[in-house]
Amino acid sequence: MLSTKSAHAVYMPAISANFAKLGHSVHLKRDFSFRESDLNFLDPASGLFHYPYALYSAGQAAKSDSAAKQASSVSARDRNRTTIIGDSGGFQIQQGTIAFAGDETCERMLRWLEGNADFAMTLDFPTGGIGSGNVAAHASRLIAQGHNLQAMAAGNGLSVDYNACLQQSLINLNYFSTHRRPGATNLLNVIQGRTERESKVWYDAVKGYGLEGWAFAGTHQSAFSMSMARLLDMYDDGLLQKARWIHFLGISTLEPAYLFTTILRGLRRINPDIGVSFDTSSPFLAAANFNMYTSFRFDKHGCALSPISFAEHASADDSRTLDELARDVAKNITIARSGSPALSFTPLPVATAIGSKVTVSEICEMQDGRLRVTTDGVWVLMNHNVEVFVKAFEALNRSFDENPLDDDVPVHVRAAKVAIETMFEELVSQNEIAARDLLRECAPLLDVFAEVRG
């Protein structure tokens, strides 16, 4: 793990399984002007770019005993020069891509996390699967095993499926806490919940485990009133002062990241050593769907990372580099506001290391009369997309530090930032009650990123 702490919330690219295996069990099929090993951005010796942070999920890396033993860029990394957060695989279990076998599954996930991650989430069952019906089978299983979910539901006023998620997560928490190897990794206690009520009940149920940090899942990533309420709970319970790390799961947009750094700066007034991070798998998912990010913008009119469909803008004999393609597809943006002159500008395309070395024709081919991106091309686009995201968040961080008036960010982001800063000021200068009073007043400002139910 890196010995220096970041002054900003840390972006963690959520690496896909096959990309992590490049150079190990997965290999490029053709030669490029870079080495295969250069695609591994975790490696400080990469000839493309180096980025020392990532998230990798046991749900992808440890689907089975044999998969858990496979080498990857994560398992082979220099642990003194990188930081990895390990997700636990609860999402994949709930989706049915991993068969759940109770303690056996917990054991496999825990050992993989201990062997590969600096910070690791406990094996939670996400409440996000309730609406899609993915929890019902687990609720039936738990009831058959003798767990009185109906009594839990009557007691907390929440659904049987919610309580199935909570009960299984508590069972897994007990396993992780009992069987962990001291010092092998830092465990993050995951808080689920789709509403304030669900979040509060969950927190109260899991808060006594004394782990090294917390992970916010589900609606917490964008409903900042819920996240701030739980942080105040942690402060009141004396847990925030001891935490080493807080992670926000699954962020795909720029705006929330600005507020994560705001939260980090506030937390460090209470706990100078704490870290905050967030992740997204978008660079990898986009590339897997043959999409390439070409630009981003972060200004007072809006925030966006812009992808294109690669095949719609490419041809098999296209000699342009990826950077040149990004330049050529840059589109003019017009912003029209009532009572104000229309503003027109073109976002600057992003140039990446691999984008300067690879031509369009090198990563696509005609197949059955249609243009397709090759498998090698997908790996190239993944590396390119990650660097675009890294540059976007670096620009966001510069804006945070260099523009104290925040007049180059959208008004709703600025308002939420001021609300969070003021809450921490109330917490430090007055008390937790004053901060909660302000939270109730400011909740609408904090929840502009998500529709909060309940």
Side-chain angles (χ1 to χ4, degrees):
M1 184 169 61
L2 291 171
S3 59
T4 57
K5 62 182 183 182
S6 173
H8 306 91
V10 177
Y11 166 55
M12 299 275 181
I15 302 176
S16 69
N18 284 334
F19 188 84
K21 295 173 185 175
L22 273 169
H24 299 277
S25 57
V26 174
H27 297 280
L28 295 174
K29 294 180 173 61
R30 60 161 295 165
D31 292 329
F32 290 92
S33 60
F34 57 87
R35 301 169 300 168
E36 181 179 83
S37 60
D38 289 333
L39 289 168
N40 176 16
F41 58 81
L42 292 173
D43 185 357
S46 169
L48 295 171
F49 80 101
H50 169 54
Y51 188 67
Y53 301 102
L55 178 142
Y56 195 33
S57 176
Q60 296 196 50
K63 291 182 178 180
S64 63
D65 288 337
S66 60
K69 297 173 184 175
Q70 292 180 3
S72 69
S73 59
V74 172
S75 65
R77 69 189 170 100
D78 183 343
R79 295 192 70 150
N80 293 319
R81 302 178 71 179
T82 52
T83 297
I84 294 292
I85 289 184
D87 203 354
S88 62
F91 174 79
Q92 287 82 4
I93 290 170
Q94 207 174 78
Q95 293 291 312
T97 57
I98 296 178
F100 184 63
D103 287 355
E104 178 185 332
T105 306
C106 284
E107 173 71 10
R108 184 172 75 248
M109 299 304 183
L110 176 58
R111 298 307 166 216
W112 185 89
L113 290 165
E114 287 182 334
N116 292 276
D118 301 297
F119 295 92
M121 288 165 227
T122 53
L123 185 51
D124 63 304
F125 267 45
T127 53
I130 294 174
S132 58
N134 292 332
V135 178
H138 295 288
S140 298
R141 171 179 55 78
L142 286 166
I143 292 170
Q145 292 172 351
H147 299 280
N148 195 341
L149 301 184
Q150 292 89 345
M152 290 178 66
N156 58 33
L158 297 168
S159 70
V160 167
D161 281 355
Y162 167 86
N163 282 282
C165 293
L166 177 56
Q167 181 62 32
Q168 188 63 66
S169 297
L170 287 169
I171 293 169
N172 298 345
L173 255 174
N174 285 327
Y175 189 93
F176 271 47
S177 298
T178 302
H179 297 279
R180 66 181 302 188
R181 293 168 181 157
T185 191
N186 296 282
L187 289 180
L188 303 181
N189 200 336
V190 183
I191 303 178
Q192 287 283 347
R194 300 165 297 169
T195 66
E196 167 59 27
R197 174 67 178 160
E198 288 187 354
S199 170
K200 175 62 173 172
V201 168
W202 193 289
Y203 168 76
D204 285 339
V206 305
K207 67 182 181 182
Y209 282 86
L211 305 182
E212 290 74 49
W214 301 86
F216 286 104
T219 309
H220 295 94
Q221 60 167 265
S222 51
F224 283 87
S225 65
M226 285 171 53
S227 297
M228 287 302 299
R230 297 295 77 76
L231 290 173
L232 292 176
D233 287 341
M234 293 173 195
Y235 177 85
D236 195 38
D237 292 329
L239 301 174
L240 195 58
Q241 298 86 329
K242 304 174 186 176
R244 296 193 63 190
W245 202 273
I246 291 176
H247 183 77
F248 290 86
L249 279 153
I251 308 303
S252 58
T253 56
L254 285 167
E255 293 172 334
Y258 203 78
L259 301 186
F260 295 145
T261 290
T262 307
I263 289 173
L264 173 66
R265 300 289 173 88
L267 290 174
R268 289 216 169 130
R269 300 182 67 179
I270 300 162
N271 180 346
D273 296 321
I274 199 168
V276 171
S277 60
F278 60 97
D279 73 272
T280 175
S281 59
S282 296
F284 299 94
L285 292 176
N289 289 306
F290 314 135
N291 293 323
M292 167 185 164
Y293 282 90
T294 57
S295 66
F296 66 86
R297 55 182 287 245
F298 190 83
D299 54 63
K300 63 183 179 181
H301 302 289
C303 308
L305 283 143
S306 302
I308 62 166
S309 172
F310 190 81
E312 290 181 8
H313 298 273
S315 64
D317 59 354
D318 194 333
S319 61
R320 291 175 297 174
T321 64
L322 301 187
D323 284 353
E324 290 169 340
L325 172 61
R327 177 203 63 200
D328 291 345
V329 301
K331 292 183 178 180
N332 192 56
I333 293 175
T334 300
I335 299 171
R337 299 280 172 84
S338 177
S340 301
L343 174 69
S344 184
F345 66 95
T346 303
L348 292 174
V350 173
T352 64
I354 204 166
S356 69
K357 295 177 178 293
V358 176
T359 64
V360 171
S361 61
E362 286 182 296
I363 62 170
C364 62
E365 63 186 10
M366 295 299 296
Q367 189 176 76
D368 299 326
R370 297 181 62 184
L371 188 74
R372 65 178 293 274
V373 178
T374 65
T375 301
D376 286 354
V378 171
W379 312 139
V380 168
L381 291 181
M382 286 180 175
N383 182 277
H384 165 87
N385 287 346
V386 170
E387 189 174 358
V388 172
F389 270 66
V390 167
K391 288 188 172 184
F393 290 118
E394 286 175 346
L396 180 150
N397 291 339
R398 286 195 300 272
S399 172
F400 195 100
D401 291 334
E402 296 172 3
N403 183 27
L405 297 179
D406 303 310
D407 55 6
D408 64 349
V409 302
V411 172
H412 62 278
V413 179
R414 190 190 321 173
K417 178 176 183 283
V418 171
I420 292 170
E421 289 173 334
T422 308
M423 264 179 272
F424 277 110
E425 182 61 37
E426 292 287 281
L427 182 62
V428 172
S429 64
Q430 296 193 50
N431 53 49
E432 180 255 348
I433 295 174
R436 285 192 189 278
D437 289 342
L438 184 60
L439 173 58
R440 282 189 286 272
E441 295 177 20
C442 295
L445 297 177
L446 299 177
D447 293 338
V448 295
F449 303 103
E451 181 180 349
V452 185
R453 295 165 288 171

